[in-house]
Amino acid sequence: MSKFTTMAFYEGGCGSLTGIVGRKDLFKSKKDFLDWCMHDCDELESDFSFLDENPEFTTDDISEDFIRYYPRMPEGFEIESGWTFCKKGRGAIEVYVLNVA
């Protein structure tokens, strides 16, 4: 089992907030993930300063995707290593994504 649970994703690895990502098997549904994002996401609280502007997220704002850890990030990222989106395959983890950008 992966150590990944949830985290904020940023453009290029350190730019503006683009989404909140959560391991899909930790949540019952998109609605459960959305509820967690809106009410119980204490460790990401500072990243939610935008909620005053747009608190009306719905399950339509949530997509499903895959991520994996890269010890060396692909070209174009401003960070050396980390999690990023990928295709389904070896090392990929299925996630929910609350798209905020």
Side-chain angles (χ1 to χ4, degrees):
M1 177 175 284
S2 169
K3 295 177 184 179
F4 179 85
T5 55
T6 59
M7 72 181 339
F9 270 46
Y10 298 89
E11 185 176 329
C14 62
S16 59
L17 180 68
T18 58
I20 305 302
V21 180
R23 186 179 179 101
K24 188 175 176 182
D25 63 6
L26 295 177
F27 301 94
K28 296 177 202 168
S29 63
K30 286 183 178 182
K31 183 179 182 330
D32 187 40
F33 177 66
L34 179 63
D35 288 344
W36 176 83
C37 287
M38 301 301 288
H39 304 291
D40 299 317
C41 190
D42 293 336
E43 72 269 29
L44 300 177
E45 189 173 306
S46 63
D47 294 316
F48 282 116
S49 58
F50 65 87
L51 284 180
D52 292 338
E53 301 167 14
N54 186 7
E56 301 296 322
F57 290 110
T58 69
T59 54
D60 291 339
D61 298 307
I62 296 175
S63 60
E64 297 177 34
D65 211 332
F66 292 90
I67 63 167
R68 71 176 277 222
Y69 184 79
Y70 289 86
R72 280 186 250 142
M73 293 300 272
E75 191 173 318
F77 284 81
E78 296 178 31
I79 58 174
E80 291 183 25
S81 64
W83 295 93
T84 192
F85 295 103
C86 66
K87 294 179 181 178
K88 182 179 180 177
R90 184 172 179 230
I93 298 168
E94 196 168 9
V95 293
Y96 285 129
V97 182
L98 174 59
N99 301 296
V100 300

